[in-house]
Amino acid sequence: MAEKYSVETHIFANPQSWFGIENILRKKNNCTCLYISYVQNLLHLWILKTSGVLHRRRISVEENLVQAGLPKDLSLSQFLDDNFRGLGILPTKDCEDRSLNTINVQPLSPAQKSSGRLRLVEEDEDRKSFKCYKIFIAPVYDLLEGPEVIIVPDRSLYKVPFAALSEKEGAEYLSETHKIRVIPSLTTLKIIQDSPEGYHSNTGALIIGNPKVPWLPSLPCARREAEMVGRLMRVPPLVEEKATKQAVLERIGSVSLIHFAGHGNAQRGEIALSPNPILNSSNAIPPQEAYMLTMADVSRVKVRAKLVVLSCCHSGRGEITAEGVIGIARAFLGSGARSVLVALWAIPDLATEQLMNRFYKHLVEGESASESLHQAMKWMRKNGSNKMSDWASFTLIGDDVRIEFDKQR
């Protein structure tokens, strides 16, 4: 990221070199940073405030699991895997699946079929939300001052839909009271904040909807979503056969807003685009490099967008490393995008179209991306979307931004 931005920065592993890291949040108003890390079954919660004050709390995951009636030998990673096992499984009768490949949910092994684990998989969303809240939020809730929380999650904690965590079953969600944003690290946020003035584009939009990939099912709702965004931006979207990989790569580095609505790969969130008509003249499926927008493709360009919206299934997925999830979203962030909106699991078509409609409505009115997502989620819950899987998948990663729509026109 520093290389893309041409920013001089030096990153060291020695904690003594972190002097000044607390100053990063001083550029922000009314927000708190929550850094969550874990070693084995000990969870470390760090709270950094805009004043520079740092708080640390340590809790035992094992004790919390036992209190919830779960096996004490359940690791944090297993707990997260089991807790959100069903959120990406969509009923085909009311969903056009934007996944490139189906995620197989493996049955529990005999060793896993203890009553506690089986109940964790089968219990309702509210109960799961409550359990995660007790572990990750309750111990520090009294320190979450201000309307916004910036969360730095460690490794598999990226799987947690923090917006959907609630204080108790049936109670209001964390996203009712706080805007929520995720960053890979405080250093990442610092590099974005230190980017040269004028680096990010203030004009132009690239909107892609339902790329025509003959061997994949069509996504009519994705096309309508792209056309809706295009009307708001007064920019014709690239839809179906026009949404080729070549056309996308030609424009991806020169616009302020990028919006994808299409098929996403379940492993790294990489996006299927329409192959070049010449390459698609036969019935044979071309090699993936002819139509897949990959992490490598994104990494080779300088992205100057303030906001990239990846309205595709699993766009927040990737390889879980010590530095978080490495997938298509991180590729956009690493190539210069200031902020990326991603989906943590397979997203339902109609609910996603509605959420995006409300999100862009607030964005056009001058609200920030964080506030727009906050308001869109609240609207969804108040208008019949009671299922967490309908609205809680989307997560904003990176800085908070505003799009200057007057300049788009």
Side-chain angles (χ1 to χ4, degrees), residues 5 20 86 109 122 164 223 277 313 340 343 362:
Y5 286 137
S109 67
E122 294 178 343
R223 172 169 182 155
C313 289
V340 186
H362 288 280

Side-chain angles (χ1 to χ4, degrees), residues 92-249:
T92 55
K93 61 182 176 63
D94 58 7
C95 170
E96 55 184 36
D97 191 355
R98 298 187 188 186
S99 305
L100 272 174
N101 43 347
T102 302
I103 297 179
N104 294 318
V105 179
Q106 299 297 328
L108 296 177
S109 67
Q112 292 175 314
K113 287 185 177 178
S114 66
S115 59
R117 286 181 184 169
L118 190 59
R119 181 165 56 81
L120 178 61
V121 174
E122 294 178 343
E123 67 190 3
D124 61 33
E125 292 180 348
D126 282 346
R127 183 68 179 165
K128 295 175 182 179
S129 169
F130 170 54
K131 286 180 179 177
C132 282
Y133 180 94
K134 284 192 66 177
I135 294 175
F136 302 117
I137 303 298
V140 293
Y141 186 80
D142 60 312
L143 298 173
L144 300 183
E145 299 173 353
E148 182 175 28
V149 181
I150 300 173
I151 300 176
V152 189
D154 184 20
R155 289 171 286 170
S156 59
L157 298 180
Y158 274 86
K159 299 176 182 179
V160 179
F162 290 98
L165 304 193
S166 59
E167 181 180 2
K168 56 185 178 181
E169 295 176 65
E172 65 181 7
Y173 297 101
L174 182 63
S175 55
E176 291 280 354
T177 54
H178 294 81
K179 294 181 291 183
I180 299 169
R181 187 154 44 97
V182 169
I183 56 172
S185 68
L186 287 171
T187 303
T188 298
L189 184 59
K190 183 179 187 302
I191 293 173
I192 293 174
Q193 290 177 350
D194 291 346
S195 61
E197 186 176 353
Y199 177 90
H200 293 94
S201 299
N202 286 319
T203 60
L206 174 60
I207 303 160
I208 299 97
N210 189 25
K212 185 176 181 180
V213 188
W215 52 94
L216 295 175
S218 182
L219 303 172
C221 284
R223 172 169 182 155
R224 291 202 304 267
E225 181 182 310
E227 290 171 339
M228 175 272 294
V229 177
R231 285 193 297 272
L232 291 172
M233 300 294 293
R234 298 185 183 179
V235 171
L238 296 178
V239 297
E240 299 190 354
E241 66 274 357
K242 294 181 180 179
T244 64
K245 181 174 178 177
Q246 179 180 348
V248 168
L249 289 177

Side-chain angles (χ1 to χ4, degrees), residues 13-24:
N14 184 352
Q16 293 181 353
S17 70
W18 299 350
F19 178 77
I21 203 80
E22 72 277 2
N23 293 324
I24 294 174

Side-chain angles (χ1 to χ4, degrees), residues 41-53:
N41 269 13
L42 277 179
L43 195 68
H44 302 269
L45 304 170
W46 304 78
I47 291 287
L48 178 61
K49 299 188 177 183
T50 51
S51 62
V53 176

